[in-house]
Amino acid sequence: MKIPNLLAPGYLHSLLIKAKIQEQNGRFLTHYALGTVSGLIRAQAMANENATRDSLMASMRIQGAESVCRVYRKMVRYPDFHRQLIAFRRLMQDYGLTLAELPEKSEGQRELKALLALIADLPFTHLQEERFLAETQTLDFSGAECTPGWIEDLHQQRLLDALKAQGLRFKPLKQAQPRTTRFYKALNSRQEAEGLAQLLLREQWKPEEVMIILCNSQRDGGLVRSVLTRYQLPAAQVAYQKPSKILRCFDALVSLTRAPSIAAVLTTLQLKTYPTLISEAYVQYLTQFVFDLNDLCKPVFTHVQQALESNTLLNIIEKENLLRLESQAQSVHEQLLPWLLPLLEDVPLSEKLTRCYELLRQHSCLNDELERRALLNLKTTLEDCWDLLEQPGALDMFMALLAQKKLEISEEVDGRIAITDLKHPLPCRPLTILFGADQNSFPGNIAATGIFDEDYLKTTSMPSQAERYDHYTRQLEWIYTSASHCLIYSYAAGNYEGKSWDVAFEIEQRAATRAVLWPLVQNEVYSDQRHQLSPDTARRLFAPDHVLRGSISSFETYFQCPYAYFLKSGLRLSRGSLTTVDAAITGTIQHALLEQGIRSQGKAYASLSETEINAILNPYFQQLDALFPDQHAEIDQIQRRMQLNLKQLLQALAAMEENTSFAPAFQELRFEEDLLETGGVTVRLNGIIDRIDTCLNDLRILDYKSSAKTLSEARVKAGLQLQLLTYLIIAVRKLGLQPAGAYYCSLKNETISVSEASLNGRRMEIEDVDRDEWMSELQSSHQLKGWTMKECEGLDYDGTHVQGLTCKDGQVKVRSLKDFDNVQALILELYQLLVQQLSAGRIELDPVEGACLFCDFKPVCRLRKAPKKPAALVGKEEGKEVRDGDSME
C-alpha cells in the first residue's frame, strides 16, 4: 500500500495544498500526494467484491422470504425495508455485533433476526476494511498527516485511532476564537437569506472572508445560492448532492421497454432522453391525439387531418392551428422514430438494457463531467450485476438501488463565499454565519429510527445513544472556532406556511442574548414600464394600407387593455391549438341548433321536440368525438346537459315568441363593413350577427350569450360593450329599416333560489309561496336584456319578455327609451378615439377590472398594479358621473 503524504476528505484537498504551499513560501509542491481514508480502504477490494451487487443479492433474498414471515410479510416487498436491513447488517459488521446477540423477545424480533441471517454471509465492504486494518499493522504512517474533517461515527473514529497508533499525525483545520458574536432572526428562510446578502454588501465583506454554514443543506442550499447569485455575490458550495439526469433517463427508458405505453414515452420525452430536439408541439400532439402505441409507431400522423375533413364545427383559424400542430409534430416524429422503435420491440431483457444504455451514450448532458462519471458507474454496476438481472424481481430492486445514487458535487471556494454544512468543516475565515439554526435543523437528530430504533439498539451491545450523541456534539465544536472576527447565529422564526420555529436551545445558550431581526432594505422602487410605439410603427402594424381591420370584440379588447390588443391583434399572438371542448365550441353548437330550428320551422322553432333537438346536436358531437376520442365521456356528459338545457330554454323562448310580432329574418349574417373613415384610416369591421328580427319597417338585434348579460351605459361609454350596438348600426345601414332595439339573449338557464314558504310576521303564520311568483322570477331570468329605441306595439305584448318595459292598463311602455342617433354618434366617437390612440402608438399595460380574468397573456404582461375601474371615454356630461341606466335621449 502506498501511503499518501496527506489524508483528508476530497473537498479539502485543494485548500490544504494551497495552505501547504503558502507554509513553504513556494508556488508548487513536488512528490506530494493526497488521498482519503475511504480511498485506501476501497483499494483493498477484490475484483469480485461490489457493494451494489451485495445489496441486490440481499434484496432478492429478503423478498424471497415473504412466505416465512408473518409480521413483516408485506414489508419484504419494499426497497426501503431492504435498505434498513442492509444498513443494520453493515452496522453489525462495523461494531462486531453477532447474530447470537440480537433480541428474540417478540415474533417481530425473531423475524428480523431470521432476515438478517439470510444476508449474514454478504460482506458488503467489511472485508475491505479488515484487509486494510491487517495491512496497516505492518506499515509506518509517521511520514503522513491526516486532516480528518468530519468523523461520521465511532467506528470511523476507531479506524483513525488505529492509524494514529501506527504513527499517523493529525493536523486539525485552522481555528480561531471570534472577537464578537451576533444573533439574528427572520420571518422565514427567504428573508434570512436576503438579510445575509445585504449585510455582506452593507459591511463590504470580501467573498473570500465569508463562510456560510447551513444547518439544513437540503432545505436551504438552493435558496442561499440563488439569493447570493441575484446580489452578484460569488459563492461556491463545498459539497452537495443532486439527482443524476443520466440515471433518471435510464430509469425512464427501462420502464418504457418493460411496459410500453404512451405515458411512458411522454416521461422519456419530458426528460429529453433522445438525441433529437423534442418540441412542445410534439408532446402536446401525443398527449392530445395519440392514445395507442400502434398509432405512435406509424410513420405519418393523420388523425387531425382525417377528423377535420368532415368537421363543420371548428372555424378556419382553429382548423389551421390543429393542422399546423400535426405538421410540426410530424417533423419531430420522423427524427424520433429511429430511436424510439427499437425500445418498443419485444426482445430479451439483456438486449433491452443494452439498447437503453447505448441510447444514453448519445445524451447531450454528457458534456458534464459528473454525468459522464455517472454513466461510467452505471456501466460498471450493470456489468457487476448482469448475471442476476434475469431473475424474477431483480430488475425492480436494481432500479431501486440506482434511484438512491446522487451526483456528489464539490465546488472550489477559493476567492468566493464558502457555503458548507455541519458535516463539512472548513478552515476558519474572518466572518462565519450559521444559517438556519432552528430546533428542527440544529444540532441534528442522531436518534435511530425505523425498524431498528433506539429501543431495539438498547437490547444490543451497540454504542449507546449518549455515547453517539457525545461524539456527534464534539464534532460540531468546529463551528464555534470557524470565525476569526465575527460569528453570526441566525434562524428563521417560521416557514412559508406560517408554522413557527424556535431557535435551537444550544445556539440560544451560546448567543447569551436575544435575537434581533435581520435589517432588511425592503423598499423597492418600481415604475410602470411605458409601452409606446412610434406613430409610423403603429400605422404599419395596425393599418398598413390605411385600413384598420378587425372584429368588434377585438376592438373591445383594446379598451379593456391596450397591451393585450397589441399582443393579440398587432403581433398576432395566440394561445395555440384547441386542446379540449371549450365554452366557445358549446356556444357554437347551441347557435347552430337555433339557426337550423328557425330555418326549418320559422318562428315555431321553439316547439322543437327532444328527438329533433338530438337529431341536430348529434352530428356536431360526433365530430368532437372523432377529433377528441379520449374525451368521449366528457363529451357525452356535455351533450346530455346541453340537451336538457336547450329543452328548458326553448320553453322560455316559446313564450317570448308568442308575445311579439317580430319574426326572425336573418341568422348568422356575415358582414364586412366600412364603418367610418377618420384621420386617413378606414375602420373595416367583420363579424356575424346572430339574429335579426323584423316587423314591418322595424328591426331588432338578438345576440346569443352563454350567460346572462346586460347592456351598461357606463361600460358602453368606456368602450367595453361595442358589439351589440355596432351590430345594430350595421344592420340598419344594410337593411334600411328602423331600429327598434338591440338585446342580449341568454342561452343559460339560471339557478333561481326559491323558498318553499314564508313567515307572515303580522299573522304569525307560515304561508306557502305562490307558484306564479317564482315562475315570474324564472321568466324574468330569460328576458331579452338591452336597449329599446322605439315604442313598438308588437315588441312585447305583455311587457314581461323584454327588459325595461312596463304594462299598465293594457298599454306597454318603455321605461328608458334610447335615441338611436345619439347612440350611433357615441359609438362612432369611440371608434374615432380608437383610431386616434392606435395611430399614436398607445399600447399601455393598463387593464380595466375583469380584463385579466381570462387573458391569454398573463405570463408575459408583468402587471404590478391593480386594474383600474371602467371610466367613460366619450359622452361625459359636464363632469357628472356616468351611472348605469342614465338616459341618452
Side-chain angles (χ1 to χ4, degrees), residues 703-715:
D703 189 20
Y704 299 135
K705 292 298 178 185
S706 58
S707 60
K709 191 173 183 180
T710 59
L711 195 58
S712 157
E713 185 169 323
R715 293 182 66 81

Side-chain angles (χ1 to χ4, degrees), residues 809-825:
D809 300 329
Q811 294 293 318
V812 176
K813 297 292 183 181
V814 181
R815 283 198 298 266
S816 178
L817 194 66
K818 307 295 182 183
D819 182 77
F820 175 72
D821 291 334
N822 289 344
V823 170
Q824 180 174 236

Side-chain angles (χ1 to χ4, degrees), residues 368-424:
D368 184 346
E369 171 63 27
L370 290 174
E371 294 291 357
R372 287 200 300 273
R373 199 176 303 162
L375 182 63
L376 182 60
N377 289 338
L378 173 62
K379 178 177 181 293
T380 303
T381 305
L382 281 170
E383 291 172 346
D384 291 334
C385 303
W386 195 258
D387 60 318
L388 302 175
L389 295 179
E390 292 286 355
Q391 299 183 29
L395 186 57
D396 290 327
M397 289 177 274
F398 178 79
M399 300 308 296
L401 290 172
L402 283 183
Q404 302 173 36
K405 296 181 180 295
K406 299 284 190 295
L407 294 180
E408 301 284 346
I409 300 175
S410 181
E411 299 171 341
E412 291 287 341
V413 298
D414 229 23
R416 293 184 280 182
I417 297 171
I419 303 175
T420 187
D421 55 48
L422 302 178
K423 295 186 177 182
H424 291 85

Side-chain angles (χ1 to χ4, degrees), residues 413-448:
V413 298
D414 229 23
R416 293 184 280 182
I417 297 171
I419 303 175
T420 187
D421 55 48
L422 302 178
K423 295 186 177 182
H424 291 85
L426 289 175
C428 70
R429 290 193 173 193
L431 175 67
T432 295
I433 302 105
L434 183 65
F435 187 95
D438 55 81
Q439 285 184 350
N440 299 321
S441 306
F442 188 90
N445 184 17
I446 65 162

Side-chain angles (χ1 to χ4, degrees), residues 65-318:
E66 180 178 2
S67 59
V68 298
C69 292
R70 192 180 71 86
V71 176
Y72 294 107
R73 177 173 297 172
K74 294 183 179 179
M75 295 185 67
V76 297
R77 307 173 187 174
Y78 297 106
D80 188 59
F81 183 65
H82 303 170
R83 282 196 293 271
Q84 292 188 56
L85 285 166
I86 293 169
F88 186 73
R89 176 56 191 160
R90 287 181 168 181
L91 279 177
M92 291 175 64
Q93 293 174 334
D94 289 343
Y95 292 101
L97 184 64
T98 64
L99 287 170
E101 299 176 60
L102 296 182
E104 297 183 87
K105 294 180 180 180
S106 66
E107 184 178 2
Q109 291 178 347
R110 288 191 291 272
E111 285 187 8
L112 290 176
K113 182 175 181 179
L115 291 171
L116 290 168
L118 293 175
I119 60 175
D121 63 313
L122 297 174
F124 302 107
T125 57
H126 182 62
L127 293 181
Q128 301 170 27
E129 291 186 5
E130 286 186 344
R131 286 191 289 269
F132 170 71
L133 289 172
E135 187 164 350
T136 57
Q137 299 298 318
T138 62
L139 296 177
D140 181 12
F141 280 83
S142 59
E145 292 180 335
C146 178
T147 301
W150 181 267
I151 303 174
E152 186 64 37
D153 53 27
L154 292 171
H155 170 66
Q156 188 178 2
Q157 182 68 60
R158 290 170 186 169
L159 287 177
L160 292 174
D161 290 343
L163 296 179
K164 187 176 182 180
Q166 298 301 117
L168 182 65
R169 292 176 289 114
F170 281 77
K171 183 177 182 181
L173 291 170
K174 183 181 177 182
Q175 300 174 342
Q177 288 297 325
R179 301 175 198 169
T180 61
T181 60
R182 304 186 210 172
F183 191 17
Y184 289 117
K185 66 179 179 180
L187 181 63
N188 52 50
S189 298
R190 165 66 66 175
Q191 289 193 2
E192 187 181 4
E194 295 279 346
L196 180 157
Q198 291 181 14
L199 177 139
L200 299 182
L201 292 172
R202 185 169 55 251
E203 299 185 3
Q204 299 182 355
W205 288 97
K206 297 178 181 178
E208 62 271 18
E209 297 175 338
V210 181
M211 183 197 315
I212 301 171
I213 304 173
L214 304 175
C215 296
N216 190 330
S217 177
Q218 185 175 2
R219 182 189 70 193
D220 298 327
L223 169 65
V224 171
R225 290 197 305 272
S226 66
V227 170
L228 293 178
T229 300
R230 183 160 53 80
Y231 280 92
Q232 298 183 11
L233 293 169
Q237 191 165 352
V238 295
Y240 64 99
Q241 295 180 332
K242 72 175 184 180
S244 167
K245 188 167 186 178
I246 278 292
L247 294 183
R248 290 173 63 198
C249 290
F250 182 73
D251 180 68
L253 289 172
V254 171
S255 298
L256 173 60
T257 59
R258 299 177 68 195
S261 67
I262 299 298
V265 171
L266 288 171
T267 300
T268 62
L269 295 177
Q270 289 163 358
L271 291 172
K272 300 180 181 179
T273 305
Y274 306 95
T276 185
L277 182 62
I278 305 298
S279 66
E280 186 64 32
Y282 187 73
V283 174
Q284 182 181 348
Y285 188 88
L286 259 60
T287 304
Q288 193 169 344
F289 299 119
V290 180
F291 316 105
D292 186 87
L293 281 174
N294 293 328
D295 294 335
L296 180 64
C297 296
K298 292 177 181 177
V300 181
F301 289 145
T302 59
H303 172 80
V304 170
Q305 185 177 359
Q306 292 175 356
L308 293 182
E309 285 177 356
S310 58
N311 190 293
T312 59
L313 185 58
L314 304 187
N315 60 40
I316 294 175
I317 295 177
E318 289 168 338

Side-chain angles (χ1 to χ4, degrees), residues 257-258 341-355 390:
T257 59
R258 299 177 68 195
L341 289 178
L343 300 175
L344 303 178
E345 294 178 1
D346 187 14
V347 295
L349 176 62
S350 59
E351 181 61 24
K352 290 179 180 180
L353 295 177
T354 301
R355 292 180 181 183
E390 292 286 355

Side-chain angles (χ1 to χ4, degrees), residues 12 158 235 260 311 528 553 568 582 616 705 715 748:
L12 287 174
R158 290 170 186 169
N311 190 293
D528 288 328
S553 61
K568 186 174 183 179
D582 59 12
I616 296 173
K705 292 298 178 185
R715 293 182 66 81
K748 181 181 179 181

